Amino acid sequence: MTAPDDIWHAARWPPGWRVLHVAETGSTNADLLAAAERGDARDRTVLAADHQTAGRGRLDRRWDAPPGANLLVSLLFETVADRPTELTQRVALAACAAADHLAPGPPVGLKWPNDLVVDGRKVAGILAQRSAGITVVGLGLNVAWSPAGAADLGGVVTPPAFLARLLVEFDGLPSKVGALHRARLVTLGQRVRAELPGGAHVVGRAEDVDHAGRLVVVERTGARHVLDVGDIVHLRPDRG
């Protein structure tokens, strides 16, 4: 699947969004942050690319895909959310709703903190970056291609069509999304290993997410951990 310029130009974007498209760039997140600093990008500016040469996910992991196969996009917001994680949750929920509408199949769930998964396999990742009062939320979603062990939408929709639906779903979200986000989290109730920065880890049951979107993990000893960040591995129930 490819997403040439004419497909992007033909897309119908919902009101209030400014969508830009490039064939290739280093990172759409970095480009939007730089454009905002220059005054060239304002609230609800969106930048999509067919290919990224320096895209990355959480923990500086590289995010790459064949040109035109997947949705590689960043959204700029000037509005200040009530919680630091709210904008990432909103983009994640909008992506889930768009997938529900456009790609019938197994339901898309959320793996804490920012991954979209289908049957336990990653289909998308989200990375938010903040600078000088703005937030840029980047999404890499496997539309027609996925690496080994991951999932994709099977190429049933083009990247621009998926983005258009995502923006519609974003605008349709309620003022408070905490309950919706919690309902999509497949991490809750599972035995998990949380790999933390610096090499430490915590093993226990993912019991809850708090008002700030932090994950509450309780060890078998009863020790309770409230995690702002971490790489979560879902474990079998009989593992500890």
Side-chain angles (χ1 to χ4, degrees), residues 17-211:
W17 296 94
R18 178 192 180 207
V19 179
L20 308 173
H21 166 253
V22 296
E24 181 174 299
T25 189
S27 162
T28 54
N29 266 25
D31 287 355
L32 265 191
L33 287 169
E37 291 176 0
R38 297 192 306 267
D40 295 334
R42 301 298 303 271
D43 188 42
R44 292 163 66 93
T45 298
V46 180
L47 176 62
D50 292 341
H51 187 235
Q52 289 189 124
T53 59
R56 66 185 182 92
R58 290 182 307 105
L59 306 179
D60 284 329
R61 291 182 178 135
R62 185 183 177 95
W63 182 274
D64 202 358
N70 294 337
L71 178 61
L72 308 172
V73 65
S74 296
L75 301 85
L76 186 152
F77 300 99
E78 292 179 347
T79 52
V80 178
D82 292 337
R83 295 174 287 109
T85 58
E86 184 175 338
L87 286 172
T88 55
Q89 290 179 1
R90 286 181 174 275
V91 172
L93 288 169
C96 287
D100 290 345
H101 182 81
L102 297 172
V108 178
L110 297 178
K111 177 184 172 186
W112 190 92
N114 297 321
D115 287 348
L116 278 67
V117 295
V118 174
D119 288 337
R121 295 181 297 155
K122 183 173 178 176
V123 71
I126 295 176
L127 176 68
Q129 295 175 270
R130 297 175 177 86
S131 175
I134 66 168
T135 302
V136 170
V137 182
L139 168 71
L141 185 139
N142 298 335
V143 175
W145 175 89
S146 57
D152 59 63
L153 301 184
V156 297
V157 63
T158 65
F162 190 95
L163 176 59
R165 185 71 194 191
L166 183 154
L167 299 179
V168 169
E169 298 291 350
F170 186 96
D171 286 341
L173 289 170
S175 59
K176 296 185 182 298
V177 297
L180 288 176
H181 179 258
R182 194 182 193 283
R184 284 276 187 177
L185 278 175
V186 298
T187 300
L188 295 184
Q190 297 216 36
R191 297 280 304 169
V192 301
R193 182 173 68 252
E195 299 173 352
L196 308 177
H201 69 272
V202 171
V203 175
R205 183 171 298 279
E207 297 284 359
D208 202 358
V209 286
D210 68 9
H211 69 282

